[in-house]
């Protein structure tokens, strides 16, 4: 949900971030700023470098050059687990949950990470969990059930709930609506709104253009690792290069 116009706190800053795999440039001097309570979209065709950028932010890949700052702290060379503890949370194109464990155990992984920074009371945790499960349409699930009892869409929703319960500064969502029906996409919007209300900076990769244009405050368009443009949805839609390459060229954006 597009945030109201007000002064925002700079949370995540990428400055001239590059990633090379041999002779292939997967990210070419990417510069972004994400603010608390903002939903920022990252679009482009398959192979544009969107997931690569998320992997650079989380530390799965090491940057070839450039700087990544989180709340004013240089995290460019920090390992993944330290970045997570500092407040970077993400979901994946296909949900990564603890197979063989119950739903509650999967959820409490997020609570455990939050407690490493600031412990909350059981009452506070229960309230937050209840609110997020309701946003995700999961309020009636049996938390003692195995994770395998949830549908694919429910598992994607649960992964977002778990990420939000970790109380992140930044939430990275990698194609959260992929494979979901219309009702489940409404739940995605509600979860993103819950994140925005908590002043979390949300970075969204998504191919559903109606969702992206309706929910994002700003967007960056990537093409083969290059940053074509950054702006509001209206500015991006009016950009001639974007129209030619994505929105009007018949390619999946």
């Amino acid at each position: 949900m597009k945030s109201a116009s007000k002064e925002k706190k700079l949370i995540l800053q990428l400055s001239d971030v590059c990633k090379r795999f041999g002779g292939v440039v997967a990210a070419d001097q990417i510069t972004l700023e994400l603010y608390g309570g903002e939903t920022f979209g990252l679009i482009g065709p398959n192979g544009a470098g969107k997931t690569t950028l998320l992997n650079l932010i989380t530390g799965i890949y090491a940057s070839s050059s450039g700087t990544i700052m989180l709340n004013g702290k240089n995290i460019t060379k920090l390992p993944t687990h330290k970045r997570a503890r500092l407040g970077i949370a993400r979901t994946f194109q296909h949900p990564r949950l603890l197979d063989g464990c119950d739903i509650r155990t999967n959820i409490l992984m997020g609570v455990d990470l939050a407690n490493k920074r600031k412990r909350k009371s059981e009452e506070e945790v229960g309230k937050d969990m209840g609110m997020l499960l309701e946003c995700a349409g999961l309020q009636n699930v049996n938390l003692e059930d195995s994770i395998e009892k949830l549908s694919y869409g429910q598992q994607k929703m649960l992964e977002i709930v778990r990420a939000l319960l970790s109380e992140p500064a930044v939430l990275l969502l990698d194609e959260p609506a992929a494979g979901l029906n219309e009702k489940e996409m409404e739940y995605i919007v509600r979860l993103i709104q819950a994140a925005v209300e908590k002043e979390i900076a949300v970075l969204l990769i998504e191919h559903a253009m109606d969702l992206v244009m309706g929910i994002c405050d700003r967007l960056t368009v990537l093409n083969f690792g290059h940053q074509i443009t950054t702006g509001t949805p209206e500015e991006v839609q009016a950009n001639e290069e974007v129209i030619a390459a994505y929105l009007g060229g018949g390619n999946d954006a």
Side-chain angles (χ1 to χ4, degrees):
M1 190 68 64
K2 293 182 181 180
S3 57
S5 177
K6 62 179 180 179
E7 192 69 25
K8 297 289 186 180
K9 178 185 176 184
L10 178 60
I11 303 294
L12 183 71
Q13 185 174 29
L14 279 65
S15 302
D16 296 324
V17 171
C18 295
K19 180 59 182 178
R20 301 177 185 87
F21 296 100
V24 177
V25 181
D28 185 12
Q29 295 186 310
I30 305 299
T31 296
L32 299 175
E33 292 182 345
L34 271 70
Y35 294 85
E38 175 185 41
T39 303
F40 192 103
L42 195 61
I43 64 173
N46 291 330
K50 304 182 299 295
T51 297
T52 294
L53 194 61
L54 261 59
N55 288 337
L56 290 169
I57 294 170
T58 57
I60 293 175
Y61 294 158
S63 303
S64 300
S65 60
T67 305
I68 302 174
M69 306 286 290
L70 178 66
N71 282 324
K73 179 181 178 66
N74 191 334
I75 64 169
T76 310
K77 296 183 179 180
L78 291 183
T80 300
H81 71 277
K82 289 189 176 180
R83 299 188 197 201
R85 287 196 178 190
L86 287 171
I88 293 182
R90 75 169 293 181
T91 66
F92 295 84
Q93 293 177 20
H94 303 288
R96 297 188 182 181
L97 301 166
L98 294 176
D99 294 335
C101 292
D102 61 26
I103 297 169
R104 186 187 302 278
T105 299
N106 273 276
I107 291 176
L108 291 179
M109 287 178 60
V111 176
D112 181 64
L113 184 56
N115 283 339
K116 294 182 186 302
R117 294 191 293 272
K118 180 182 178 182
R119 182 167 292 278
K120 299 176 71 172
S121 69
E122 290 187 11
E123 182 179 355
E124 288 177 311
V125 170
K127 182 178 179 180
D128 286 346
M129 187 185 302
M131 182 272 291
L132 291 171
L133 287 173
E134 184 172 357
C135 285
L138 298 172
Q139 66 272 24
N140 294 323
V141 301
N142 184 348
L143 299 183
E144 313 309 321
D145 279 347
S146 170
I147 197 71
E148 284 84 3
K149 286 198 173 183
L150 295 181
S151 69
Y152 177 75
Q154 288 176 320
Q155 289 188 23
K156 295 196 79 167
M157 237 73 70
L158 190 77
E159 190 179 38
I160 300 175
V161 169
R162 182 177 67 184
L164 287 173
L165 284 172
S166 73
E167 299 284 341
V170 179
L171 175 63
L172 311 175
L173 300 175
D174 196 350
E175 297 190 33
L180 303 189
N181 60 39
E182 186 174 343
K183 184 61 178 178
E184 289 168 334
M185 289 178 68
E186 291 177 9
Y187 293 140
I188 293 292
V189 172
R190 289 167 60 179
L191 287 168
I192 291 174
Q193 177 60 28
V196 167
E197 290 175 356
K198 289 177 175 288
E199 294 298 314
I200 296 168
V202 179
L203 180 58
L204 171 69
I205 293 177
E206 188 50 66
H207 287 278
M209 295 307 295
D210 287 345
L211 174 63
V212 170
M213 295 300 175
I215 201 171
C216 291
D217 299 288
R218 293 185 297 132
L219 304 167
T220 274
V221 184
L222 297 181
N223 185 24
F224 297 109
H226 300 287
Q227 190 170 359
I228 292 180
T229 189
T230 296
T232 66
E234 294 76 19
E235 290 168 342
V236 168
Q237 287 176 304
N239 184 286
E240 292 185 3
E241 190 173 359
V242 174
I243 293 171
Y246 306 114
L247 301 179
N251 291 331
D252 182 7

